[in-house]
Amino acid sequence: MCGSVYGYEEIVLRAEQTLKEAVQLFIRYEINEIPVIDRQRREMGRLTYRMLLKALADKWDDDETIESLWNAQETTVEHTKEQPADVPPKSHTSVSELITEIQRLKLELQEAHSMVEMMKTVLDSAYEGIAVVDAQGIIREINKAYCQFLGIRREDAIGKHVTEVIENTRLHICIESGVPERGFIQKIFDQPMVVHRIPIWREGKVVGAIGMLIFQGVSEVYQIFQRVQELSRQASQKEKKVKRAASPKKQISGLDSIVGRSPAIAKIKQMVRRAARVPSTVLITGESGTGKEVLAKAIHQSSPYVDGNFVSVNCAAIPESLLEAELFGYEEGAFTGAKKGGKPGKFQLAHKGTLFLDEIGDMPLYMQAKILRVLEEKKVERVGGVAEMELDVRIIAATNKNLEEMVQKGQFREDLFYRLNIIRIHIPALRERKMDIPYLLAYHMERICEQFGLKQKEFTKEAMQALMDYSWPGNIRELVNVVEWLVGMVDGQKIEKEHLPSHILSSALFMKNGREVEERKNIIEQPDAHWRDIVDYYERERIKQALIEEKGNKAAAARKLGMHRSTLYEKLKKYNL
């Protein structure tokens, strides 16, 4: 260790220490210079306040080492041979002035850091995907929207060449040419995207580029164009005093139909892209109303089977006696009442396309064996027929039941379960991904208002909070029904909290005050109380209320609740109603 400096023993800086540590020592001891030692503990010279101020003024990063500064300023370093250790630098600047200047520079650095953090927040709040690369094409920044679309983590993209992260990118070419590319089409995951590529110029040189994913699919561009056409058409009709017809319902397909920004939805979109590439069977699990059929259609529309039919079968809605004929078809005269000429089955209709078997857990055991045979042999035989037909069908199954438990109880065939459970995608309940609720509300509000030809309504902060606090036992199906009800029942453009359906408001009240009703109090105050008990309680109350309002008509009550009639029967049995 070197000798004393102005009476302070053992005050030295190691070459590997940072400028930030040097600043802290200057401020702490109010000195004008500090000896610097190398890794062999030999004195290299002295770091003066002038050198430190110059480095900070030149915008050196405070994490840079003393050694880096030494190498950069070698010709100006005051070595010990040229100046004795106990001779202070010739300067009329006091230590207090030095401290003031360092504190000013520190404040500027803090403000710059705060501005950088704010810019990162702005980038992550943008709906558009944004990526920033340097002159070598290395990704230096990428926002949350782009990461979620690509299905990657930010830390896995930063520091990599852009071609390793973004498919079919031309950002590195944009850097070389210096020519901006606006409104270009780029295919990512076999889906055409509209992108901008903007070179960053500094002092006559291209030092990087910004890539922007403007639309998540070219279909949005067509939708905007259609809106412009519609506005023009409305203006023309207004002059002729012709009543404007309601706008046609949006045709949203593929990944665009999966709405949400939560990590769970980002992961599901990534799995959909991967599942669409191969013809393997997919099993979708999740509670009733979570959007399993929407997910199945997204897989179909992103797969090579997109040119074929998407055929949906609800296994719980078809009587057992008709299930085999519906799935496999029948020949003329196969049974009493059979149509003349026979009828093709769902498997045959889905040839070269996708067959969606919804509620597969409700399929009787004898049909499970027949389904397994079709999946294994890729052939189907009509009821009453003698010839087998070759099939090329993508199978997607879905259920809201626990098939593993059903297999253990002998209620579901183990061999069929393993045949279906090749690619498995679970859709979490809406209460488990509450950050998606505002996006779903906005999406369906816009869609329904456009469908009905009405001006779009907006939710107040209080109304949105109440909707966020609600448990949504009916999941997305219930949310869509609530939005449609609000569109029809609310006259103004603002949806206030008091406009919400009573069961949502009472649920919010229940969550805040568990002592209002004795039964509710018992549910909440039980030592082993679980949120599932609370959800079940309100689901039971909603079903009772719907049955009362529909005078016991179960079909009407099921429609009101946004669930299938067979699902309602299951819940009536579950709650002993």
Side-chain angles (χ1 to χ4, degrees), residues 181-251:
E181 300 178 355
R182 294 185 174 89
F184 275 55
I185 302 298
Q186 176 179 334
K187 275 201 170 184
I188 304 178
F189 302 121
D190 293 326
Q191 188 174 357
M193 303 288 168
V194 180
V195 299
H196 290 344
R197 305 182 187 101
I198 305 168
I200 303 172
W201 290 84
R202 184 182 298 161
E203 297 177 358
K205 293 182 179 180
V206 178
V207 296
I210 300 174
M212 298 182 67
L213 186 70
I214 302 301
F215 298 101
Q216 292 191 8
V218 175
S219 61
E220 294 188 26
V221 181
Y222 295 137
Q223 289 169 13
I224 292 173
F225 178 66
Q226 289 173 353
R227 289 177 186 173
V228 173
Q229 285 185 319
E230 181 65 23
L231 288 172
S232 176
R233 190 180 303 115
Q234 288 178 18
S236 175
Q237 290 173 343
K238 189 174 181 180
E239 291 179 2
K240 298 177 182 179
K241 295 183 179 180
V242 177
K243 185 179 181 181
R244 182 178 69 85
S247 302
K249 187 176 181 180
K250 279 187 180 180
Q251 297 297 320

Side-chain angles (χ1 to χ4, degrees), residues 2-156:
C2 295
S4 64
V5 179
Y6 307 135
Y8 293 93
E9 296 291 339
E10 310 296 340
I11 302 175
V12 295
L13 280 167
R14 300 187 304 278
E16 64 269 21
Q17 286 186 276
T18 64
L19 297 183
K20 181 178 180 180
E21 292 172 312
V23 169
Q24 291 171 346
L25 279 178
F26 273 109
I27 294 173
R28 181 178 178 184
Y29 293 106
E30 298 187 7
I31 52 182
N32 292 318
E33 62 178 22
I34 303 177
V36 179
I37 60 173
D38 60 17
R39 288 176 172 79
Q40 286 73 41
R41 307 186 70 79
R42 295 175 300 191
E43 187 171 333
M44 300 167 57
R46 296 177 181 275
L47 177 67
T48 68
Y49 78 100
R50 290 178 178 176
M51 295 167 60
L52 186 58
L53 281 180
K54 186 176 186 305
L56 295 174
D58 290 342
K59 298 182 180 179
W60 276 63
D61 192 84
D62 58 5
D63 289 328
E64 289 286 348
T65 63
I66 304 297
E67 186 175 24
S68 300
L69 178 63
W70 216 260
N71 293 335
Q73 301 184 1
E74 190 173 3
T75 58
T76 62
V77 173
E78 303 174 46
H79 294 283
T80 55
K81 291 182 179 179
E82 299 170 5
Q83 180 177 339
D86 57 350
V87 178
K90 297 178 181 179
S91 172
H92 299 290
T93 305
S94 66
V95 173
S96 61
E97 290 175 333
L98 169 64
I99 294 172
T100 301
E101 182 64 15
I102 291 175
Q103 289 176 338
R104 184 186 66 81
L105 293 171
K106 183 180 179 181
L107 182 60
E108 289 183 0
L109 286 173
Q110 289 175 343
E111 290 177 351
H113 178 74
S114 177
M115 182 59 69
V116 169
E117 291 300 315
M118 183 180 294
M119 291 306 297
K120 286 183 179 179
T121 302
V122 171
L123 284 176
D124 283 340
S125 300
Y127 287 98
E128 295 80 8
I130 301 172
V132 182
V133 299
D134 62 16
Q136 285 71 45
I138 304 299
I139 294 178
R140 295 303 177 192
E141 190 57 66
I142 185 168
N143 71 343
K144 186 185 294 183
Y146 220 143
C147 288
Q148 289 181 344
F149 176 74
L150 295 173
I152 61 174
R153 299 183 304 170
R154 179 179 178 274
E155 51 266 32
D156 293 336

Side-chain angles (χ1 to χ4, degrees), residues 545-554 556-557:
Q545 186 63 31
L547 288 169
I548 292 171
E549 292 175 1
E550 298 299 332
K551 297 183 172 66
N553 187 322
K554 295 182 178 63

Side-chain angles (χ1 to χ4, degrees), residues 439-464:
Y439 298 103
L440 287 162
L441 289 169
Y443 170 80
H444 289 293
M445 176 62 72
E446 180 183 2
R447 179 183 63 82
I448 293 171
C449 286
E450 184 173 347
Q451 178 184 348
F452 293 168
L454 300 173
K455 188 176 180 181
Q456 189 171 337
K457 302 178 188 293
E458 297 179 353
F459 294 93
T460 64
K461 182 179 179 181
E462 292 76 15
M464 182 62 73

